[in-house]
Amino acid sequence: LTRQLLTFARGGEPVKKLINPVSLIRETVSFALRGSNIKSFIDIQDDLWSMEVDESQLSQVLNNLLLNAGQAMPAGGEVTVRAANEILLQDNPRQLPPGDYIRISVEDRGCGIPKENLARIFDPYFTTKPKGSGLGLASVYSIVKRHGGAVEVTSAQGTGSTFTIHMPAIPCGLPEDTG
């Protein structure tokens, strides 16, 4: 919570370095869901590009999304994390500059988000949870934006939610990480 407050309040400018995100994704999923009754499925494209990111902030983004997925399935369930390369063209729906990106999605089969809440989920301090701070998704939004990316959500009540982030990628970066 302290890290989220500092990231949100101070702007938490990323300290970027070139990484192959495969290991980071796998380790974060394993750590975030350890000890829970949530089963994870990881689907990562074989030749996933490199990224220039702040590793701890990207890990925080994934951790927050996985935490929310787990909270949407209190009786247990499944979460799928996918990562793939994507080339965005001019005038893409994410309103990002054209170029190379990595698309990471976190999909749960939980209760879903009511339509009336969808427009507010990234607002600071907005929460529907009795013990929530409302900073998790606000931090996700802030970190992804500061890295030059975008985040979006699709959800249907009773079916689940999918959070998708697009982060700038570097196609010819580090050697392949088999993670």
Side-chain angles (χ1 to χ4, degrees):
L1 180 61
T2 302
R3 186 170 7 125
Q4 289 178 5
L5 277 168
L6 290 172
T7 298
F8 184 73
R10 268 200 260 136
E13 205 53 44
V15 179
K16 296 179 181 180
K17 73 177 193 178
L18 189 64
I19 68 160
N20 183 312
V22 174
S23 293
L24 177 82
I25 292 168
R26 290 187 187 282
E27 289 169 14
T28 302
V29 170
S30 174
F31 180 77
L33 298 177
R34 183 173 292 140
S36 75
N37 56 357
I38 307 295
K39 187 185 290 189
S40 66
F41 298 97
I42 301 174
D43 179 16
I44 298 178
Q45 182 175 326
D46 287 339
D47 57 348
L48 196 65
W49 293 330
S50 298
M51 307 165 77
E52 191 171 7
V53 296
D54 184 314
E55 283 182 290
S56 68
Q57 288 188 4
L58 180 57
S59 181
Q60 182 181 344
V61 164
L62 294 172
N63 194 54
N64 287 350
L65 294 177
L66 291 161
L67 179 66
N68 276 12
Q71 291 172 344
M73 302 180 289
E78 300 173 353
V79 64
T80 302
V81 178
R82 292 184 175 87
N85 302 327
E86 187 171 327
I87 298 171
L88 295 181
L89 303 174
Q90 193 75 34
D91 299 324
N92 60 76
R94 283 141 207 101
Q95 299 177 334
L96 289 170
D100 301 318
Y101 291 83
I102 294 178
R103 180 186 66 245
I104 302 171
S105 63
V106 176
E107 176 185 341
D108 68 56
R109 290 171 185 78
C111 56
I113 302 167
K115 273 187 177 175
E116 63 271 14
N117 292 344
L118 272 175
R120 299 182 58 204
I121 61 169
F122 296 114
D123 292 351
Y125 310 111
F126 175 76
T127 185
T128 58
K129 300 168 192 152
K131 295 184 179 179
S133 67
L135 291 174
L137 291 177
S139 294
V140 166
Y141 181 85
S142 177
I143 290 168
V144 171
K145 281 293 190 190
R146 271 198 307 281
H147 278 83
V151 59
E152 58 193 2
V153 62
T154 57
S155 186
Q157 283 196 271
T159 305
S161 302
T162 301
F163 285 84
T164 304
I165 62 173
H166 282 80
M167 299 285 276
I170 301 172
C172 52
L174 296 170
E176 196 171 308
D177 180 353
T178 56

